[in-house]
Amino acid sequence: MSTYRQERRADAAAQAEQVREDRRLELEAKLKAKEIAAEQRRADEAAKAEQGRKDADAKRRQEQADKRARQQEKERASVARRARIGKLTGWLNANPVTAFVAFVMVCSIVPAVISQVGALSHANVNVFLAALLSAMLEGTAWGLTFMGKQAEDAGRPAGKYRVATWVTAFLAAGVNYWHWADALPNDKWVAFVFAGSSLIAIYLWDMKTHGSHGKTKEERRREKARRKHIAARRKHHKAIAEEADRLLSALPFESVTDEEAFETAWRIKKGAEPGLSAEVYANATNARVALGAAFELGEHVRPELVRAGMLASLYNPLPGSPAQGIPALGPSSPLPALRRPSEGATALAGIGMYGSEAASEKARENASEKSGGNTSGNSPRGRSDEELEALLPQALKVAAELVAEGNQISAAALSKRVGIRRDDARRLRDRVIAERKLKLVDGQGADAAVGA
């Protein structure tokens, strides 16, 4: 029995122990579940807080983006507004006349329309009908004006539009004048003012579109000169002008200009450049031949001319006045600053050369240079400056003899009488002329001192 009881007690104890263990496990499970739930709650709260932070950050960024977009939109609107103002200002600066004309036109049209409405209303016409009729008058005038401008820009005749515009404008002006002359019989000037309000705008627009686009004074002058030139051309060159007309009619329209046709006709008729011809070349050649003949004649009569000039200067009864075309620059001259040997005086002294001799001397110099400078029997090498300086006294003596004989001091004469080559004689002649000029200046200076 004791064993059974012991077993019962052991089973009861074991069962109680099992119950306690189950309760402990259950308690631990509950605690574990509570911890897990608490951890889950904390995780959910952290996730919720993170999401809230992200939402707040996104909202803040969206607000900043919206603010920047609004600011940019405001700046774009400000830039566009400044651009419109700048464009308007630029247009006004570039077109002040157009702006002022537009302003005056508005100030003219509005009173005219109101006056016409009042005139028709005064005649018991419905106000609405009166406004339509007034708009019809002014609108017709301006419609015709713009139609004329469009036709003119397209190159079509615009005269009929301008005539119709002015007829309509004077009709509207008549309505205004009649109304105010009847309303204010003692103040007729008011009627003229309102009548003018229907004409001023049309007049300003007409002057704006036509008066400021005419030809300038220079263009009119050139046009007049061109017409005169064409008339003179057709008068002086009738045959060539007729030939040019035939060319223009034969060639396709506007394929050549009038100038090109006239130039071609000139070449056909004259065979040369425009303005030149065989007659012109012949006259020029004859003139040069005659000039050469005159120079050749001067070569033969030159000593007599020089002698006559010297005698005229010597026996001049009026020393202070020019003789034989030679200006006197003595002490009584009105130009004391120009007291120097004149060209005439140097010519009488045998200094200088006639045109023909200068040309012949130049030709001989060129020929001498081409032939190597060996035009005489001397050696090709010229004399030195020291050698020419030694020959200067002899050359001066020869020059005095030449002047006494009435001949020019030429390189040919010096070369022959001194016995040197032509090139050296030309160099020596220049020194002789310079020396004689110097003596002539000194002599005139001494005479001036004596006269003073």
Side-chain angles (χ1 to χ4, degrees):
M1 286 297 291
S2 59
T3 302
Y4 175 76
R5 290 178 178 167
Q6 290 176 354
E7 290 178 357
R8 294 277 298 179
R9 283 195 296 273
D11 293 335
Q15 186 175 4
E17 183 65 24
Q18 184 65 38
V19 171
R20 286 194 298 271
E21 183 66 21
D22 292 339
R23 288 180 178 177
R24 185 183 65 79
L25 292 175
E26 184 179 359
L27 182 58
E28 288 179 356
K30 289 181 178 179
L31 291 175
K32 187 68 175 178
K34 289 181 179 179
E35 289 178 359
I36 292 173
E39 185 67 24
Q40 185 64 36
R41 284 196 302 272
R42 286 194 296 270
D44 292 341
E45 290 176 356
K48 186 176 181 180
E50 180 66 18
Q51 186 63 36
R53 186 184 63 78
K54 290 181 179 180
D55 292 342
D57 188 54
K59 183 178 180 181
R60 180 178 57 80
R61 287 196 298 269
Q62 184 63 35
E63 290 177 351
Q64 291 177 350
D66 294 342
K67 184 177 180 181
R68 285 195 300 270
R70 289 192 298 272
Q71 185 66 25
Q72 292 175 357
E73 185 64 26
K74 184 183 294 185
E75 291 177 356
R76 283 195 294 270
S78 178
V79 170
R81 184 171 59 257
R82 288 196 298 270
R84 289 193 299 270
I85 294 174
K87 184 177 181 180
L88 177 60
T89 304
W91 184 87
L92 290 175
N93 291 333
N95 302 277
V97 175
T98 303
F100 186 75
V101 167
F103 171 75
V104 175
M105 286 168 59
V106 171
C107 295
S108 173
I109 294 171
V110 173
V113 172
I114 295 175
S115 175
Q116 292 168 21
V117 172
L120 294 172
S121 300
H122 184 72
N124 297 323
V125 177
N126 185 271
V127 176
F128 181 71
L129 294 177
L132 291 177
L133 291 173
S134 301
M136 178 195 70
L137 283 175
E138 294 294 334
T140 300
W142 285 104
L144 291 169
T145 299
F146 294 133
M147 289 167 64
K149 183 66 170 61
Q150 185 178 11
E152 189 175 20
D153 293 339
R156 297 191 300 271
K160 59 182 179 180
Y161 296 104
R162 296 183 67 185
V163 171
T165 298
W166 281 107
V167 169
T168 308
F170 273 103
L171 179 61
V175 171
N176 288 334
Y177 178 82
W178 172 83
H179 170 65
W180 290 103
D182 183 67
L184 300 173
N186 296 327
D187 296 317
K188 292 292 183 66
W189 61 272
V190 178
F192 284 105
V193 170
F194 275 95
S197 66
S198 295
L199 302 175
I200 291 297
I202 300 295
Y203 174 74
L204 281 177
W205 179 262
D206 191 72
M207 293 296 294
K208 172 69 173 57
T209 54
H210 297 91
S212 60
H213 294 79
K215 295 181 179 179
T216 62
K217 184 178 180 180
E218 179 64 19
E219 290 174 344
R220 292 194 299 271
R221 185 191 67 78
R222 290 178 60 85
E223 186 67 24
K224 182 179 179 181
R226 178 176 175 79
R227 290 195 299 269
K228 184 178 179 181
H229 171 72
I230 293 175
R233 168 183 285 179
R234 302 192 72 85
K235 177 181 178 182
H236 298 152
H237 311 286
K238 294 180 180 179
I240 298 176
E242 292 175 357
E243 183 67 24
D245 293 339
R246 283 192 289 271
L247 286 174
L248 287 173
S249 62
L251 294 173
F253 179 65
E254 292 186 349
S255 60
V256 295
T257 62
D258 294 342
E259 293 294 334
E260 292 172 345
F262 186 84
E263 181 179 354
T264 304
W266 186 282
R267 293 178 185 276
I268 294 173
K269 290 290 186 179
K270 301 295 184 179
E273 297 291 329
L276 301 177
S277 63
E279 294 82 1
V280 174
Y281 283 113
N283 291 334
T285 303
N286 293 334
R288 292 186 180 183
V289 171
L291 182 62
F295 284 149
E296 185 177 356
L297 178 62
E299 289 286 344
H300 295 288
V301 301
R302 181 179 58 193
E304 289 76 7
L305 291 175
V306 173
R307 186 178 294 108
M310 295 177 65
L311 293 175
S313 176
L314 181 62
Y315 296 107
N316 181 16
L318 299 175
S321 62
Q324 299 296 330
I326 302 172
L329 296 178
S332 61
S333 172
L335 302 175
L338 299 179
R339 292 175 183 172
R340 56 181 177 80
S342 65
E343 295 179 359
T346 57
L348 290 176
I351 301 171
M353 302 175 65
Y354 291 102
S356 61
E357 185 175 354
S360 61
E361 286 292 332
K362 185 64 176 178
R364 286 194 291 269
E365 289 178 5
N366 295 335
S368 176
E369 291 176 0
K370 291 181 180 178
S371 62
N374 192 10
T375 58
S376 65
N378 298 326
S379 62
R381 185 179 64 83
R383 295 176 182 270
S384 64
D385 294 339
E386 291 77 8
E387 292 174 340
L388 292 179
E389 191 69 26
L391 293 175
L392 183 59
Q394 184 182 356
L396 289 172
K397 183 179 179 181
V398 171
E401 293 175 356
L402 290 173
V403 173
E405 294 172 2
N407 296 325
Q408 284 289 115
I409 303 175
S410 63
L414 288 177
S415 175
K416 182 178 180 180
R417 297 197 183 191
V418 180
I420 58 177
R421 57 196 300 271
R422 186 67 59 84
D423 292 341
D424 295 333
R426 276 192 291 271
R427 295 167 56 196
L428 188 59
R429 178 201 61 196
D430 295 338
R431 294 196 178 195
V432 169
I433 292 175
E435 188 71 21
R436 290 178 65 84
K437 284 185 177 180
L438 182 61
K439 290 182 179 180
L440 185 60
V441 171
D442 292 340
Q444 287 193 355
D447 292 343
V450 173

